[in-house]
Structures are given as structure tokens and as C-alpha cells.
Amino acid sequence: MPLVVIGDPGVLARADEVVGTRLALRPIPSVDRAEHTPGTVDVIAGSDLPDDLPRGTLDARAGAAAFQYVRQGIRLPERRRTGAGDRTDQQRRPCAWPESPTPGTPSCWPICPAPPTTR
């Protein structure tokens, strides 16, 4: 299954050493640059934590970084809804059915699900 990780490349590399997965970490600037190559994890750098950050203990820097990873992940679909990203104008369309989250507005263009089918 293709995936992109948002995290700290250094922390991910140290975790890889600990568990011995031997995965290659490939830094990417955005999701649309992911290659999804087997044995490689595409990583969007969400922080640059220090190498000496202690493992297994609470640390405010790690907590703040984790918050930012989640926040950045939440904002990825938002970028696509607003047209920032790799979607073309032809792929954006207003939602026309009444059950859509925001009918007829640009905010739902790329994520608008197909209209419900009637039986």
C-alpha cells in the first residue's frame, strides 16, 4: 500500500535501526513527489529534532513535533480542496447534490464524493 510519512527523518532513521527494517527513507517536499518505491518510505520532513533527543521519555519538543505532524497531515487534503497541489481545473467541480458538505462551493471541489445513487 503506498503511503507518505510526515515526521522527522532523523528520528525515523534511528527507529529503523532499532527495529531493523532496513527501509530507505526518501525525503520529499510534497505528496505529489512521492514515488512509492518498494522498500522505500517517502518522508515529508515535519521537523528537525536533535539527534540526542532521549527515547522513551516525555519531551516537550517531541510532543510539539508530533502535534505539527498531525496538523500538517490534516492540511494536506485542505491544500487539494483549495487547488494547491496537482489537480487541474478540469478535475475541480462544485458539488451539485443537496447532501454535499458545502453544495456548489469551491471548498468541496476535489473531495466531493459522487452523488448518492437512487434505487
Side-chain angles (χ1 to χ4, degrees):
M1 170 188 285
L3 67 109
V4 172
V5 173
I6 300 171
D8 187 284
V11 171
L12 292 168
R14 289 188 295 281
D16 182 61
E17 289 174 15
V18 170
V19 297
T21 58
R22 297 188 186 107
L23 292 170
L25 300 176
R26 182 177 169 271
I28 58 172
S30 62
V31 172
D32 58 327
R33 302 297 285 278
E35 292 180 0
H36 310 296
T37 307
T40 302
V41 177
D42 294 308
V43 179
I44 296 175
S47 67
D48 187 20
L49 293 168
D51 290 339
D52 63 350
L53 190 71
R55 286 187 309 213
T57 61
L58 294 177
D59 188 290
R61 297 169 294 178
F67 172 79
Q68 291 304 322
Y69 306 152
V70 171
R71 185 177 187 182
Q72 191 172 353
I74 290 168
R75 288 184 171 172
L76 287 174
E78 181 179 296
R79 288 187 62 232
R80 290 184 184 270
R81 280 196 303 271
T82 60
D86 57 0
R87 296 196 180 259
T88 65
D89 286 339
Q90 291 80 19
Q91 290 172 306
R92 289 188 223 121
R93 60 181 168 67
C95 295
W97 48 281
E99 294 83 10
S100 67
T102 51
T105 62
S107 64
C108 71
W109 282 353
I111 61 159
C112 184
T117 57
T118 56
R119 296 181 193 251

